[in-house]
Amino acid sequence: GEDVEQSLFLSVREGDSSVINCTYTDSSSTYLYWYKQEPGAGLQLLTYIFSNMDMKQDQRLTVLLNKKDKHLSLRIADTQTGDSAIYFCAGEGYNFNKFYFGSGTKLNVKP
Amino acid sequence: DAGVTQSPTHLIKTRGQQVTLRCSPKSGHDTVSWYQQALGQGPQFIFQYYEEEERQRGNFPDRFSGHQFPNYSSELNVNALLLGDSALYLCASNLKTGGSYNEQFFGPGTRLTVL
């Protein structure tokens, strides 16, 4: 199966950039994903990247993918207090939509 | 357009009991997946239903079973509940398109507590 690892916590000040990192073991994922989970809520898809891309930018979000090192990162520019949440990276197994999630990174944004 | 809905929101059961959780997929979606999210962990894939059949299964015991109805809604059943089954159960739906990207939409989850 696939293992996905993330650091547990990240604390930044409002207005700074946040970088959340993820490493994965299975390179068969066609897409890699970042999800956001706020307290008491389900998962919200933030962005995704196709496995043959190195970078994807979507407004304040930038995803970097290093396939050689199996490393995925999410950069949030101009982080706001509303960005405080848990962020999960996920890959899909060989069969689409069987997602493997990391344990999540709790982002705390201080005003 | 209603997204993925789940019921109930919260549920308390005792060890040994059985529970049924329900999910209605997003309009237009035909595939439903279930995930278990223990406290402080990421979601773990339980199984996926498409065309009323279980298509894929994660590493969960047979106590976990499911069903998909002709209207694409789905149920998750857990028998002989254990304390360790306490978790948030998430349902996700998507339209199966044979391999190209299609987004999974997640419901808000059912919080199951086993005492």
Side-chain angles (χ1 to χ4, degrees):
Chain A
E2 177 168 342
D3 285 329
V4 180
E5 293 193 4
Q6 301 177 236
S7 52
L8 293 180
F9 299 101
L10 177 64
S11 184
V12 301
R13 293 207 173 277
E14 191 173 21
D16 288 349
S17 292
S18 306
V19 179
I20 302 171
N21 295 300
C22 169
T23 57
Y24 58 97
T25 57
D26 186 350
S27 58
S28 68
S29 293
T30 302
Y31 295 94
L32 293 152
Y33 305 82
W34 283 103
Y35 281 85
K36 177 183 180 182
Q37 187 175 38
E38 295 180 272
L43 298 172
Q44 173 196 354
L45 177 68
L46 286 178
T47 187
Y48 65 94
I49 188 167
F50 189 47
S51 58
N52 70 352
M53 295 172 63
D54 297 325
M55 185 182 85
K56 179 180 179 182
Q57 189 151 0
D58 185 0
Q59 299 182 344
R60 291 192 298 125
L61 305 178
T62 302
V63 179
L64 295 178
L65 175 60
N66 182 328
K67 286 197 72 175
K68 175 177 169 289
D69 293 338
K70 296 181 183 175
H71 182 266
L72 181 73
S73 69
L74 173 70
R75 178 177 180 270
I76 305 172
D78 188 25
T79 313
Q80 303 297 307
T81 54
D83 295 324
S84 292
I86 300 176
Y87 291 80
F88 293 95
C89 68
E92 54 193 32
Y94 178 73
N95 295 310
F96 288 92
N97 304 127
K98 181 180 178 181
F99 283 19
Y100 296 92
F101 287 86
S103 295
T105 299
K106 185 172 185 178
L107 175 63
N108 179 43
V109 183
K110 293 179 279 190
Chain B
D1 173 28
V4 180
T5 59
Q6 293 185 242
S7 63
T9 307
H10 295 86
L11 204 51
I12 299 175
K13 293 285 189 177
T14 56
R15 280 180 297 176
Q17 286 189 311
Q18 179 264 344
V19 68
T20 297
L21 310 182
R22 295 177 176 82
C23 171
S24 291
K26 181 178 169 63
S27 177
H29 286 181
D30 58 6
T31 303
V32 172
S33 301
W34 287 92
Y35 294 81
Q36 180 195 66
Q37 186 179 17
L39 197 62
Q41 300 295 317
Q44 299 290 317
F45 176 80
I46 303 175
F47 43 53
Q48 182 182 87
Y49 277 83
Y50 171 65
E51 291 185 334
E52 301 179 49
E53 289 190 18
E54 181 182 298
R55 298 294 178 169
Q56 300 180 65
R57 190 177 183 92
N59 190 24
F60 280 80
D62 292 344
R63 298 186 299 108
F64 289 77
S65 63
H67 189 77
Q68 186 180 34
F69 299 93
N71 67 352
Y72 308 118
S73 66
S74 177
E75 288 182 350
L76 164 65
N77 301 293
V78 187
N79 294 323
L81 284 166
L82 303 173
L83 296 179
D85 295 331
S86 295
L88 180 68
Y89 288 84
L90 295 165
C91 171
S93 74
N94 64 280
L95 179 64
K96 189 170 282 293
T97 57
S100 60
Y101 172 75
N102 54 91
E103 181 179 345
Q104 274 204 358
F105 287 82
F106 282 82
T110 293
R111 173 72 63 187
L112 172 65
T113 302
V114 182
L115 301 176

